[in-house]
Amino acid sequence: MTICGTILEVDRILNRYRQQGEVIGFVPTMGALHEGHLSLLRASKKACTKSVCSIFVNPTQFNDKKDLERYPRMPEKDCAMLEQAGCDVVFMPSVEEMYPAPDERQFDFGRLDKVLDGAHRPGHFNGVAQVVSKLFAIIKPDKAFFGLKDYQQVLIVKKMVEQLAMPVEIVPCPILREPDGLAMSSRNMLLTAAERKAASLIPQIMQMARQQFGTMPVAELKNKMLEEVRKEPLLKPDYIAFCDAETLESVSEVRPGQKIICLAAIFSGKIRLIDNMPVN
Ligand code: AMP
């Protein structure tokens, strides 16, 4: 496995691969890797002949400075995990390498970046589009693998690729969960034991919503979920929403054939966790 810190280094290796006819798969991450990340790498290894992972905690996508400061960083452990999992190239740039000058680009994804995390984390998806577009320009992957845990991000990245006419296939991959159902996340390691226990209620409440969806009006079900969340003093809902799975517009009445997804952002202590589940 080759570890590259600069654009020139990674470009040199990937150019050679391309000349050799390799199919390049790409998994962008912010590090502090877990099985969820490795499942994306495995999907890449299955579909491509060479797999590249990036580890970069992108400052422009953090709307909360404290969140950026406390974000876990463990590059050596990450690289050992990637090597063990059969990654070919790791791209681990510095902030200066990625942003030699401030990125002033403003993306517009219509309604898609104005709702949910777009509304609750101002600037977040603009920062995601900035870094993913740069990474795609550097790596030029044939396929890029993204986890459905960040459901809105998958839709945003697909839309960005369309808008910029980038020749890359976006491959969405299923959510990996802990045995108690909590979606795996680098942020889980920041939870205290009590917060971790409280967080396990999040998938339980979403499962309840999935089971009861259709038996009562959407607004009533959402209130029921909020009530359940508020029963646990360590949890604080940021949002819970039932949305059209394609547009992410929130729904009150379901049209025949419409796919609905429940999305939630909930704080356990100071740590903001997200999850989602298709409900019909
Ligand atoms: P992050 O390091 O949090 O930016 O995540 C990097 C990639 O891994 C993103 O495409 C995430 O959606 C994906 N990912 C994170 N957690 C999970 C999970 N539990 N299951 C599947 N994919 C995940």
Side-chain angles (χ1 to χ4, degrees), residues 28-30 34 36-37 40 71 146-147 149-150 174-176 184:
T29 82
M30 298 204 299
H34 50 67
H37 296 113
L40 303 186
Y71 201 84
F146 286 84
K149 195 204 126 210
D150 299 273
I175 305 178
L176 253 76
M184 288 183 181

Side-chain angles (χ1 to χ4, degrees), residues 54-230:
S54 63
I55 299 176
F56 180 63
V57 183
N58 173 38
T60 75
Q61 73 187 69
F62 284 81
N63 57 311
D64 175 355
K65 210 170 147 257
K66 286 230 171 67
D67 188 25
L68 173 61
E69 279 166 11
R70 76 162 84 92
Y71 201 84
R73 290 162 172 90
M74 44 196 73
E76 289 87 14
K77 184 171 174 231
D78 288 343
C79 284
M81 283 170 80
L82 291 176
E83 173 137 51
Q84 169 77 21
C87 178
D88 298 290
V89 177
V90 182
F91 180 50
M92 241 173 23
S94 65
V95 173
E96 294 71 36
E97 184 75 6
M98 289 299 282
Y99 298 104
D103 192 338
E104 283 158 353
R105 291 174 298 160
Q106 289 293 328
F107 292 81
D108 187 349
F109 301 113
R111 289 281 304 149
L112 204 52
D113 62 341
K114 315 289 186 295
V115 297
L116 305 171
D117 265 22
H120 288 253
R121 299 184 67 189
H124 170 65
F125 287 119
N126 198 62
V128 168
Q130 286 176 341
V131 76
V132 175
S133 60
K134 279 183 183 244
L135 289 169
F136 282 1
I138 297 164
I139 307 293
K140 304 180 201 76
D142 295 288
K143 297 171 195 271
F145 298 79
F146 286 84
L148 285 166
K149 195 204 126 210
D150 299 273
Y151 188 86
Q152 191 172 10
Q153 174 170 278
V154 172
L155 297 185
I156 296 267
V157 169
K158 278 187 175 171
K159 194 149 184 172
M160 181 198 78
V161 161
E162 265 172 38
Q163 285 183 355
L164 301 179
M166 290 177 145
V168 51
E169 182 191 340
I170 303 304
V171 185
C173 301
I175 305 178
L176 253 76
R177 295 178 179 280
E178 300 289 351
D180 67 354
L182 181 65
M184 288 183 181
S185 165
S186 307
R187 287 190 170 87
N188 292 351
M189 66 180 71
L190 302 173
L191 300 167
T192 64
E195 289 163 356
R196 173 65 186 81
K197 188 154 174 262
S200 69
L201 287 172
I202 299 169
Q204 287 175 28
I205 292 167
M206 310 235 355
Q207 282 287 358
M208 174 209 56
R210 195 163 68 104
Q211 278 154 13
Q212 299 189 12
F213 187 79
T215 66
M216 67 185 87
V218 172
E220 196 180 322
L221 184 53
K222 181 174 150 176
N223 280 334
K224 201 169 163 183
M225 291 174 79
L226 287 168
E227 249 171 55
E228 288 299 317
V229 173
R230 290 190 181 115

